[in-house]
């Protein structure tokens, strides 16, 4: 075994000395009169001759940790809430023999390429030793076919009433240590359950809390995991905070912290997040969640209000003090697409975050903020945890690299929320604020929405045939709005899948009344027979007048105005090059010549303001015809 200092006599004596009933409600009338010291969990150890006789009867030498256990105690009263109550001694154990005919059931599920663990489990039922003599439809099975280099046999605990696969422990000793931790966990809420073990574990919890606040979360993790296995108070909520930031898209439980006014602004919105974003939400489920929060002591009306703001995207994480000012500054940057800048603001201000009480070790409230939450990637979560907070000192971690690549090249690469076949179109305007864009190119009375996933905004937008007063030929785009690192305001549509056609009219002139405007539309080649070749459009305007423009479709080029040499389509779109190469060359030229860029992270993983533009197509003339086709395959799921 890996721990040579383990001693069965010490271990079982400690367990015996610490024994108390689970709680007062579990005692029957006889136990009420029985002091803890009167309950004997074990029996005198078996003589070597008795162990050897059992091995001869079974035809196998028993594994080391089980032999050593029998020599100290010939059986044990495990006394779990559910499961095994009593382990037999040397004279009691016998082969299980698979009386319930489980082997065929597990063999049928092996499949064509089963793993080693599956094969071992399927064969375990007929070769295992049965250890328990009293249980709640539960078997403790010692499997000689599943052994390690030390000669230890795995223990499988099968709860017949549960319907799940047995739980495996690598050895008998590992099983008993787990049962000892379960013994502690079952009694952790008893005020009189205080002993050397509980004091050690509680000290570990406090040590882990300080380590975590000092940025040494990797040292805190094993301390909290062990303390949680003993059921120690506060270990779970501290551990879950570390796990949450290590995997920000996960959900964790924080119990009654939702009712504590010190923690409510950080915890309740995070607890509401999973409920608010559930894709399969059905009426009545909110009542269940609200009832659960109320059962934990939270005010129902408060919980309902928080859930509502988290669901509609209006929730704001707004702590007080210097940390709160940094959060507000970061949100202002992130809501226009500058997510790397926002993260640097948060990162630099993390030491200023002060825990409102001993049960909170990180600013979890960030995760529920609709604008700042998406910024917390697993890498940034680790950086948060590695940064000292609440007055603790220690080395600061190496900064996580920025996530936004410069320029526009990323538009050629697939991402989780955008595929190249979607195409993209964008309007950039120099020298204005993003808030000015709706007035320049928006439909009548267009206003910026609350920050939203741009893809969701496109999916939710009604089609022309669904909107009163909108002609079928119109192509009104739902665009995400922001500001580039170079200071251009932009309006981007990368999810609508619209086609560039002969009715297209560039919004560059309308956008340029207050400064230079650039319009780019990339319409990729479709794979269906008869589809038009791919197209790329660029138009540049200033002061309401178009300066130059071109459209490349297949090998044809239409141009107007004096196009700078660096952007000349004849130079950039070589017929012998592949389509991706031509697009890549054009995007690099736009970045170099005009200073254009787009924020990759904000457009593919973040949330931005949106609005609906005027039509990108003009009305058809009397001698022109158009076709409008709308195909619905069901409601898309965000």
């Amino acid at each position: 075994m890996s721990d040579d200092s383990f001693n069965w006599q010490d271990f079982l004596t400690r367990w015996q000395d610490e024994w108390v009933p689970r709680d007062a409600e579990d005692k029957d009338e006889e136990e009420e009169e029985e002091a803890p010291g009167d309950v004997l969990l074990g029996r005198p150890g078996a003589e070597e001759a008795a162990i050897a006789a059992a091995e001869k009867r079974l035809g196998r030498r028993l594994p080391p940790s089980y032999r050593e256990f029998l020599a100290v105690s010939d059986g044990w009263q495990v006394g779990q809430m559910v499961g095994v109550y009593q382990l037999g001694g040397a004279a009691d154990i016998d082969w299980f023999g698979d009386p319930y005919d489980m082997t065929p059931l597990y063999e049928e599920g092996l499949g064509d390429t089963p793993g080693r663990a599956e094969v071992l489990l399927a064969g375990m039922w007929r070769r295992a030793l049965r250890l328990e003599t009293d249980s709640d439809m539960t078997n403790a099975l010692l499997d000689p076919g599943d052994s390690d280099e030390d000669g230890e046999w795995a223990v499988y605990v099968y709860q017949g009433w549960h319907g799940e696969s047995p739980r495996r422990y690598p050895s008998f000793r590992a099983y008993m240590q787990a049962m000892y931790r379960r013994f502690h966990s079952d009694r952790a809420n008893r005020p009189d359950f205080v002993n050397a073990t509980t004091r050690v574990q509680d000290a570990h919890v406090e040590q882990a809390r300080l380590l975590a606040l000092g940025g040494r979360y990797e040292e805190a993790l094993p301390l909290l995991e062990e303390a949680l296995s003993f059921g120690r108070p506060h270990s779970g909520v501290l551990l879950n905070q570390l796990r949450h930031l290590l995997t920000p898209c996960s959900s964790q439980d924080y119990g009654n912290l939702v009712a504590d006014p010190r923690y409510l602004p950080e915890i309740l919105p995070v607890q509401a997040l999973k409920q608010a974003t559930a894709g399969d939400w059905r009426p009545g489920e909110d009542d269940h969640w609200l009832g659960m929060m109320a059962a934990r002591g939270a005010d129902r009306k408060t919980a309902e209000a928080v859930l509502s703001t988290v669901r509609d995207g209006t929730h704001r994480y707004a702590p007080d003090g210097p940390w709160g000012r940094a959060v507000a500054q970061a949100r202002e940057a992130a809501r226009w697409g500058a997510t790397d800048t926002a993260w640097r603001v948060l990162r630099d201000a993390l030491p200023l975050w002060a825990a409102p009480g001993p049960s909170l070790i990180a600013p979890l409230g960030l995760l529920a903020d609709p604008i700042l939450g998406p910024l917390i990637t697993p890498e940034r979560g680790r950086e948060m945890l590695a940064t000292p907070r609440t007055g603790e000192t220690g080395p600061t971690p190496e900064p996580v690299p920025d996530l936004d690549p410069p320029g526009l090249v990323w538009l050629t690469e697939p991402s989780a929320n955008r595929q190249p076949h979607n195409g993209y179109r964008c309007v950039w305007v120099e020298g204005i604020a993003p808030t000015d864009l709706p007035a320049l190119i928006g439909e009548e009375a267009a206003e910026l929405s609350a920050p939203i996933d741009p893809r969701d905004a496109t999916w939710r937008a009604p089609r022309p045939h669904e909107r009163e007063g909108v002609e079928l030929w119109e192509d009104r785009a739902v665009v995400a709005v922001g500001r580039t690192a170079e200071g251009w305001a932009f309006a981007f549509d990368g999810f609508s899948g619209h086609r560039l056609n002969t009715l297209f009219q560039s919004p560059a002139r309308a956008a340029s009344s207050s400064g230079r405007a650039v319009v780019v539309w990339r319409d990729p080649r479709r794979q269906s027979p008869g589809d038009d070749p791919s197209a790329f459009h660029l138009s540049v305007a200033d002061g309401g007048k178009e300066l130059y423009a071109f459209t490349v479709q297949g090998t044809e080029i239409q141009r107007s105005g004096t196009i700078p040499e660096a952007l000349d389509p004849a130079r950039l779109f070589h017929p012998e090059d592949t389509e991706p190469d031509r697009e890549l060359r054009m995007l690099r030229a736009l970045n170099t010549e005009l200073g254009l860029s787009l924020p990759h992270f904000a457009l593919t993983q973040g949330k931005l303001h949106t609005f609906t533009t005027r039509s990108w197509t003009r009305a058809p003339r009397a001698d022109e015809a158009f076709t409008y086709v709308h195909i619905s395959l069901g409601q898309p799921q965000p």
Side-chain angles (χ1 to χ4, degrees):
M1 305 296 290
S2 59
D3 185 359
D4 295 331
S5 65
F6 184 80
N7 183 287
W8 277 106
Q9 184 68 60
D10 294 344
F11 173 69
L12 297 176
T13 299
R14 181 169 69 252
W15 194 340
Q16 176 68 70
D17 291 345
E18 292 174 351
W19 189 90
V20 296
R22 222 173 349 263
D23 53 50
E25 289 74 20
D26 287 339
K27 296 180 182 180
D28 57 26
E29 293 182 0
E30 293 183 2
E31 287 178 321
E32 290 286 355
E33 301 173 0
E34 195 173 59
D38 295 334
V39 176
L40 296 178
L41 304 181
R43 300 187 298 211
E47 299 289 341
E48 175 61 28
I51 299 175
E55 291 175 329
K56 182 177 180 180
R57 172 171 57 85
L58 298 169
R60 292 293 299 264
R61 181 174 176 81
L62 297 172
S65 65
Y66 186 55
R67 274 187 125 263
E68 293 164 5
F69 162 76
L70 291 175
V72 174
S73 180
D74 193 24
W76 192 258
Q77 180 180 320
V78 184
Q80 295 304 300
M81 185 180 298
V82 291
V84 174
Y85 302 148
Q86 183 75 44
L87 295 173
D92 304 310
I93 58 175
D94 204 348
W95 297 113
F96 182 55
D98 194 10
Y100 311 121
D101 206 23
M102 303 293 289
T103 302
L105 178 64
Y106 277 79
E107 287 179 341
E108 289 174 5
L110 287 178
D112 296 332
T113 57
R116 180 176 181 272
E118 295 172 294
V119 173
L120 287 173
L121 178 56
M124 180 271 298
W125 307 96
R126 289 177 180 167
R127 63 174 178 254
L129 280 175
R130 179 175 178 170
L131 302 183
E132 86 286 347
T133 58
D134 185 18
S135 72
D136 177 14
M137 296 179 64
T138 301
N139 301 116
L141 306 174
L142 194 59
D143 181 13
D146 186 355
S147 60
D148 63 16
E149 64 276 8
D150 297 315
E152 294 292 349
W153 302 358
V155 172
Y156 288 85
V157 176
Y158 175 63
Q159 295 175 320
W161 52 269
H162 203 286
E164 295 185 357
S165 293
R167 182 164 186 175
R168 180 186 181 276
Y169 302 86
S171 67
F172 179 76
R173 174 181 145 189
Y175 166 69
M176 287 293 282
Q177 288 176 310
M179 294 305 98
Y180 173 65
R181 292 192 293 270
R182 174 68 181 272
F183 155 76
H184 265 265
S185 184
D186 287 347
R187 293 154 177 79
N189 292 327
R190 284 191 57 141
D192 61 340
F193 188 62
V194 179
N195 49 59
T197 302
T198 62
R199 286 190 285 269
V200 166
Q201 293 302 323
D202 289 344
H204 285 173
V205 172
E206 177 59 16
Q207 180 187 359
R209 185 182 74 85
L210 295 176
L211 286 170
L213 288 173
R216 297 161 64 183
Y217 72 94
E218 291 175 312
E219 297 174 56
L221 275 168
L223 293 174
L224 292 173
E225 288 168 347
E226 182 182 32
L228 181 61
S229 72
F230 282 87
R232 299 317 302 158
H234 311 300
S235 59
V237 294
L238 296 180
L239 179 61
N240 284 351
Q241 291 172 61
L242 301 184
R243 290 173 172 171
H244 209 157
L245 286 173
L246 291 173
T247 312
C249 62
S250 66
S251 61
Q252 302 291 337
D253 183 43
Y254 297 106
N256 295 338
L257 288 192
V258 296
D260 192 318
R262 295 175 296 174
Y263 309 122
L264 186 150
E266 300 265 4
I267 296 297
L268 187 56
V270 172
Q271 295 282 254
L273 188 59
K274 181 179 179 181
Q275 179 68 17
T277 56
D280 57 350
W281 176 85
R282 292 182 295 273
E285 291 185 357
D286 283 355
D287 286 339
H288 174 75
W289 182 83
L290 291 168
M292 184 170 61
M293 293 300 105
R296 295 176 177 179
D299 178 73
R300 186 182 176 97
K301 289 186 177 179
T302 300
E304 190 169 11
V306 169
L307 177 60
S308 176
T309 59
V310 171
R311 176 169 281 142
D312 66 19
T314 60
H315 171 71
R316 295 292 179 267
Y317 174 55
D320 296 328
W323 168 245
R325 290 192 289 274
V327 167
Q329 181 184 350
R331 183 185 296 107
E332 183 62 20
R335 78 187 184 105
W336 302 119
T339 56
D340 284 335
T341 298
W343 170 246
R344 288 192 290 270
V345 170
L346 293 174
R347 180 182 64 201
D348 293 344
L350 269 173
L352 302 176
W353 178 78
S359 293
L360 201 66
I361 53 177
L364 288 180
L366 280 172
L367 298 176
D369 189 284
I371 299 175
L372 298 177
L375 273 59
I376 313 303
T377 63
E379 295 76 17
R380 287 171 170 171
R382 287 194 291 272
E383 188 174 2
M384 287 178 65
L385 292 176
T387 301
R389 307 171 297 283
T390 311
E392 297 295 321
T393 58
T396 56
E398 190 71 22
V400 172
D402 286 348
L403 299 180
D404 267 340
L408 298 167
V409 169
W410 67 267
L411 287 166
T412 65
E413 303 168 354
S415 67
N417 278 15
R418 219 193 118 278
Q419 298 297 325
H421 65 259
N422 287 127
Y424 50 85
R425 52 186 175 179
C426 187
V427 181
W428 289 266
V429 183
E430 196 173 28
I432 69 167
T435 51
D436 296 330
L437 285 170
L440 294 175
I441 59 172
E443 66 179 6
E444 186 178 355
E447 295 181 348
L448 293 181
S449 72
I452 187 175
D453 181 328
R455 179 178 61 172
D456 289 350
T458 299
W459 281 352
R460 296 174 186 176
R463 303 300 183 260
H465 69 280
E466 298 170 333
R467 298 188 61 188
E468 185 176 353
V470 176
E471 300 291 342
L472 295 181
W473 52 262
E474 292 193 70
D475 175 12
R476 303 192 186 193
V478 177
V479 290
V481 177
R483 182 187 292 109
T484 71
E486 298 79 11
W488 294 73
F490 69 81
F492 177 82
D493 170 26
F495 310 99
S496 63
H498 281 274
R499 303 295 304 269
L500 193 156
N501 58 52
T502 56
L503 300 183
F504 165 64
Q505 61 178 6
S506 171
R509 288 191 183 90
S512 69
S513 60
S514 300
R516 187 170 50 155
V518 179
V519 171
V520 166
W521 189 339
R522 162 66 172 167
D523 183 2
R525 179 190 299 272
R526 270 54 172 185
Q527 300 302 317
S528 301
D531 271 341
D532 293 333
S534 61
F536 194 100
H537 171 84
L538 169 69
S539 51
V540 179
D542 197 357
K545 297 181 180 181
E546 183 177 275
L547 302 180
Y548 55 88
F550 68 76
T551 300
V552 179
Q553 189 159 28
T555 58
E556 296 183 5
I557 300 177
Q558 297 179 355
R559 62 171 72 211
S560 62
T562 305
I563 301 172
E565 181 181 357
L567 299 176
D568 188 344
R571 188 178 72 86
L572 297 172
F573 290 83
H574 300 162
E576 66 274 12
D577 287 345
T578 65
E579 185 177 320
D581 287 339
R582 292 195 291 268
E583 180 186 6
L584 197 62
R585 190 180 294 113
M586 187 69 225
L587 293 178
R588 285 173 175 160
L590 290 171
N591 174 243
T592 302
E593 181 70 11
L594 299 178
L596 300 181
S597 67
L598 285 170
H600 173 269
F601 188 89
L603 286 169
T604 59
Q605 300 181 57
K607 295 185 178 180
L608 293 170
H609 298 281
T610 66
F611 72 93
T612 302
T613 70
R614 301 169 201 161
S615 177
W616 288 57
T617 54
R618 59 173 173 76
R621 302 187 183 101
D623 60 342
E624 293 177 325
F626 74 95
T627 301
Y628 177 85
V629 178
H630 174 72
I631 300 174
S632 177
L633 300 178
Q635 186 67 30
Q637 294 298 317

